[in-house]
Structure formats: C-alpha cells, structure tokens
Amino acid sequence: MDDFGGFARNIIASPNVIAPGGRLGIMVQGCQGGGTASSQAFRSPSLSGVNGGNDQSSGFATVNRDARPGRYDITVNCNGRTLTSPGAFTVMGGVLGGLGGSSSTGATKTDMAIGGGLVASSVIGGGVFLLRRRQERRI
C-alpha cells in the first residue's frame, strides 16, 4: 500500500472473509475527513471521520448477494486521493440450506428402496428375536 504522507495509507476490512449479503466494516487510516469506498462486490458506501480516531474514517458496506466467491479489492477516495488495497477481503462460496439443496419433491426410487430395505430388515430381525425368546421360555 502507498503512503501519501497525511493521506489515506491503510485500508482494513473486517471481517476479511465474508458471505454474500454480509455486512463489511471498512476502516481507513490517514483519512480524517471521510470519503468513499468502492469494490466490485458492493455499492460504494460513504466513509465518515471517527471522533478521536486519530485521522481515521470508517463505514459499512453490504456485500452483494450475487457476489461470486473470491478475493476483492477495495479502493478508497479520500481527500482527493485514491488508495487501493488489493485482495482486501474474500467472499466465500454460498451454502445451500433448507432441505440440503434438494430440488426434487417427495422420495426418489432410491430413497424408497433404502427405506424399504431398512423396514424389511427390522421386521425380520424383530421376528427372529421374538421366536428365540419364545423358544427360551419353553425349555
């Protein structure tokens, strides 16, 4: 990162690994008056000066829900100067939730075969157990 001598000199993204749709905190050192941040992964939020923050500005950005997994740069425009932090944060891949990402409705033929096999084996096992107990009582 470049040192602009009194201008923006460090960009910190928190968290540095985030899911699509997540809220990303951005802190810029050496940017007293505020500015804007931009990235391909979110809309450009405004950065505001932090009171007692030692020449720092901060803001929040919401990562686009359709952002692809990967590393993203953040570019800050502060006091008429720009600074880019390459690979400042990483968008992680999405996870299918709910029914495990299933797109079928109802049980498939495989599900039915497995379930039928389990039921049949439990019926046979229970019958064998009952027959053995019954024979033990007669002795």
Side-chain angles (χ1 to χ4, degrees):
M1 286 181 245
D2 298 326
D3 183 3
F4 288 107
F7 294 101
R9 60 186 175 275
N10 194 15
I11 301 170
I12 302 165
S14 178
N16 60 357
V17 177
I18 192 165
R23 189 172 177 188
L24 183 71
I26 302 168
M27 174 74 72
V28 183
Q29 296 173 337
C31 183
Q32 183 177 10
T36 59
S38 62
S39 175
Q40 291 181 339
F42 55 76
R43 292 188 180 138
S44 296
S46 294
L47 304 173
S48 302
V50 177
N51 289 335
N54 218 9
D55 292 342
Q56 295 179 351
S57 292
S58 66
F60 292 96
T62 301
V63 176
N64 299 331
R65 291 201 177 275
D66 61 351
R68 293 185 171 268
R71 295 182 60 86
Y72 287 89
D73 302 346
I74 296 177
T75 299
V76 172
N77 185 338
C78 180
N79 301 323
R81 300 272 184 114
T82 59
L83 174 68
T84 298
S85 176
F89 67 100
T90 302
V91 174
M92 63 183 183
V95 177
L96 295 174
L99 299 173
S102 174
S103 60
S104 63
T105 57
T108 64
K109 290 181 181 182
T110 304
D111 295 335
M112 295 298 287
I114 292 170
L118 290 172
V119 169
S121 65
S122 65
V123 168
I124 292 169
V128 169
F129 176 76
L130 289 175
L131 286 175
R132 290 193 71 196
R133 283 191 57 106
R134 204 168 146 191
Q135 289 175 358
E136 288 174 4
R137 289 185 183 166
R138 289 187 182 177
I139 296 179

